Amino acid sequence: MLPAPPGWEGALAEMPPLLSAMVRVQALGGMRPQDICRMRRGELSTRPDEPVPLPRTGRTVAAREVDGVLVWLYAPQAHKTDWAGKPRVIAFGPRAQVVLTGAGAGLKPGDVVFAPRRVLAQARRGNRFSGKLQDTYDRRRYGRLVERAIERTNAARRRRRGRSRGTGAVLEPEPTPAPYSNRGRGPTRPHHAAALLGHASGSVIDTYMK
């Protein structure tokens, strides 16, 4: 697992708990933004006896043990390459499971895990985006919420920097998609990022890093 950018915990602390959980799960699962935005409880298998459908295959997948460790599986019903008939399954290890256990508590199969209404309820404010509040975030709105948290963190750092020296680097906004693709810059890191994101070819990660 690649380390988070310096100060990233400060940005997470600026978010409502459910939005912070959303970002953590995306990073731990190496997920595309649309995958985390659309996640429904019924697409996530947390036990070997809890199968979930694998879209357009007529098959199911379920959580399984790997080397004695239980791995949860998430099979999104819609994803970036489903037009090509390629099923997608995302694995979650123990760290992501801890976050998802809290985020998904009490949800029904059709419920969106990271629903905007739940995030707004935690933040105790209404919808600040124009238009009707949707059941799920889209990439633009999700990315903007993350950017706002980073902006608040940077503003606090600049204020502290005015009072003392050596406060630390200011965070740069992580453009969606795929935060790990942007962390992968360097002579060897693109290979790490490609593995985390599940890309079969290194050329895909090059596109994200431009």
Side-chain angles (χ1 to χ4, degrees):
M1 181 64 66
L2 296 178
W8 185 237
E9 291 296 326
L12 291 175
E14 288 288 338
M15 304 176 191
L18 195 62
L19 181 62
S20 174
M22 189 176 182
V23 174
R24 292 177 190 273
V25 171
Q26 183 192 356
L28 291 168
M31 302 165 67
R32 300 183 181 109
Q34 56 266 40
D35 291 336
I36 192 68
C37 289
R38 299 170 182 168
M39 179 188 286
R40 295 181 184 271
R41 178 60 185 85
E43 300 170 333
L44 176 65
S45 174
T46 61
R47 307 185 311 273
D49 62 349
E50 184 185 27
V52 295
L54 197 58
R56 287 166 289 283
T57 66
R59 296 183 288 124
T60 61
V61 294
R64 63 191 65 181
E65 282 198 8
V66 179
D67 295 332
V69 177
L70 181 64
V71 178
W72 292 4
L73 297 180
Y74 163 45
Q77 298 300 295
H79 57 89
K80 185 176 180 180
T81 57
D82 61 0
W83 61 270
K86 296 181 179 180
R88 178 168 171 77
V89 178
I90 297 166
F92 294 123
R95 292 173 62 190
Q97 291 170 21
V98 171
V99 182
L100 281 167
T101 296
L107 296 183
K108 299 177 181 178
D111 290 341
V112 176
V113 176
F114 301 103
R117 295 184 188 280
R118 299 177 63 206
V119 174
L120 290 174
Q122 288 182 343
R124 298 182 180 179
R125 62 171 178 257
N127 180 24
R128 293 185 177 181
F129 293 99
S130 60
K132 181 181 177 181
L133 185 64
Q134 302 298 316
D135 292 336
T136 65
Y137 285 115
D138 59 28
R139 289 172 50 186
R140 181 185 65 83
R141 293 189 177 189
Y142 172 45
R144 183 59 186 139
L145 289 172
V146 174
E147 288 175 1
R148 285 175 176 172
I150 292 174
E151 289 166 0
R152 290 193 295 271
T153 303
N154 287 341
R157 286 183 167 216
R158 292 188 184 100
R159 289 193 296 269
R160 291 196 300 270
R161 186 176 292 173
R163 296 193 296 267
S164 63
R165 302 181 64 180
T167 308
V170 173
L171 282 170
E172 291 293 334
E174 291 275 7
T176 53
Y180 274 118
S181 65
N182 297 296
R183 295 182 202 171
R185 291 185 175 88
T188 59
R189 287 183 179 177
H191 302 290
H192 299 164
L196 284 165
L197 293 167
H199 298 316
S201 170
S203 62
V204 178
I205 207 70
D206 292 336
T207 301
Y208 283 139
M209 290 170 61
K210 290 179 180 178

